[in-house]
Amino acid sequence: MAGAQPQLDVAIIGGGVVGLIMAMGLMKRGIRVVIYEQSREFREIGAGIAFTANAIKCMSLLDPAIVAAVDAVATPNGEDADKPNDYVRFHDGYRWDPADAADTEDKLLGLLHTGYKGFQGCHRAHLLDELVKSIPPSAVAFCKRFVGHTDPGPGEKLVLQFADGTTAQADAVIGCDGIKSKVRQVLLGADSPASYPHFSHKVAYRALVPMAAAEAALGTFKARNQHMHTGPGAHLLHFPVAGGTLLNVVAFVADAEPWPLTDAHAQRNMTADATRGDLEAVFAGWCPTVRHVVALLPDMLSKWALFDTHDHPAPTYVCQRVCVAGDAAHASSPHHGGGAGIGVEDALALCTLLEMATGAAAAASQADMTALVERAFAVYDVVRRPRSQWLVASSREVCDIYEWSYPPTMADWDKCMAEITARSHRLWYFDIDGMLAELRAGFDGEASPNPSPTLVQIQVQPLVQIQVQP
Ligand SMILES: Cc1cc2nc3c(=O)[nH]c(=O)nc-3n(C[C@H](O)[C@H](O)[C@H](O)COP(=O)(O)OP(=O)(O)OC[C@H]3O[C@@H](n4cnc5c(N)ncnc54)[C@H](O)[C@@H]3O)c2cc1C
């Protein structure tokens, strides 16, 4: 095709929060995108989600419309929206003296500063509705469950296969298909334990409570400010969402039992029915405030098994022109509240690299485009994997800190707060410019000014296995 300008067609598998943000960032750079989503429509399960300041900065670099979408639905922390509180309050939810009539308030253990508007809660469905406004219908195909692909070779488009028997073509595939990612299975092989998430032995109970009821039971200050109530074997977090009309409540509980799955590979049954009574039993004897929060919850609840990729981390996020991002690459337990945010960082990395690839391709052929995409994805893997795998590990450990069982800190809350602060700030005060410099240097084949320890040599991974299960 002499003289034709090489084009890049990117397929994003999965239209969750990371897939949508990835698509917006690519389209902003003039790259053609189609999101293939298995559901009939975009939908978010769950209640609240909060983004850290570094995630918001990445969003602004991807596409300011993403920040506008968050701003449209984010709820400031505190009683006065114009003067939001920029901290998470950690309380002792467990130790109190029932014999002391004055001892009704759980004690403050420390404040974790998040930066200005650092960790504002969003109602998940509302956020998705805002993001979707920026996605043109031509960039989405619903009811398309990815099952595998074939690679005809350099210069030829990858052929994607879907469960309904249809196919589609693309030059590059980004798997944003979440914790049960099929793309990860294709990259790593069906027999690899790293292809599947594993139970972290924690469960979460999530609910939204009307703010009026929460304020009546807890008082305005407690209800409108983000609180983390800690204790042995469990912890309870709440923060306002939906413009302050709802309180998002999540109770995390340790669970030593294995989580039964009907089919380990399909990873079904990650939720189970539960009742408020189950939680009342867990938190019996805890401080009155914690029990008041539990009393606000509906009679029937869902118990979510928290799976992650900690026990079997992916050895690579990339194979040739296929990669994974967000939970598909590094699903973590949610205890840093950073899984989606670090997926946003992935999106900035991939959008930056694919923009460089298309720029370099302007002076090249369509066959060269294959090599440029492979190089971009290889750099992405080297730069992004250490940080995102750190999040997976630290999320497990920080949960143990909240639950007084991390050996170096146990119930010593001076040490706990120092450890929580150091870990949270490592996540939040990320050197985004440094990452971008490292990506650009890696793509250009130069030595990075601050190379990550793993940025030694960039190699394109061979394809482990191509799976097609119509
Ligand atoms: C209790 C809890 C609280 C959390 N709180 C926070 C928080 O405050 N802040 C934060 O940053 N993170 C938080 N997280 C983590 C965050 O929810 C996830 O990291 C994030 O939702 C992952 O987004 P994703 O787009 O990668 O995956 P998902 O949101 O899971 O989206 C995957 C999409 O892919 C689709 N899909 C799957 N398979 C296929 C296929 N084969 N073909 C086509 N489509 C497919 C799915 O239908 C879905 O739409 C929390 C998690 C939990 C459990």
Side-chain angles (χ1 to χ4, degrees), residues 353 374-387 433-460:
L353 287 163
E374 290 185 355
R375 192 200 307 176
F377 281 2
V379 174
Y380 161 74
D381 179 55
V382 168
V383 173
R384 291 299 304 159
R385 200 149 39 85
R387 176 168 162 79
D433 293 335
M435 176 186 79
L436 293 174
E438 202 178 345
L439 293 167
R440 290 187 180 114
F443 188 83
D444 288 338
E446 299 164 4
S448 165
N450 295 304
S452 74
T454 50
L455 187 55
V456 180
Q457 195 173 12
I458 290 163
Q459 292 181 329
V460 175

Side-chain angles (χ1 to χ4, degrees), residues 153-156 171 321 365-375:
E156 302 294 325
D171 298 298
R321 287 184 282 166
S365 68
Q366 195 72 39
D368 292 330
M369 178 68 92
T370 304
L372 289 166
V373 169
E374 290 185 355
R375 192 200 307 176

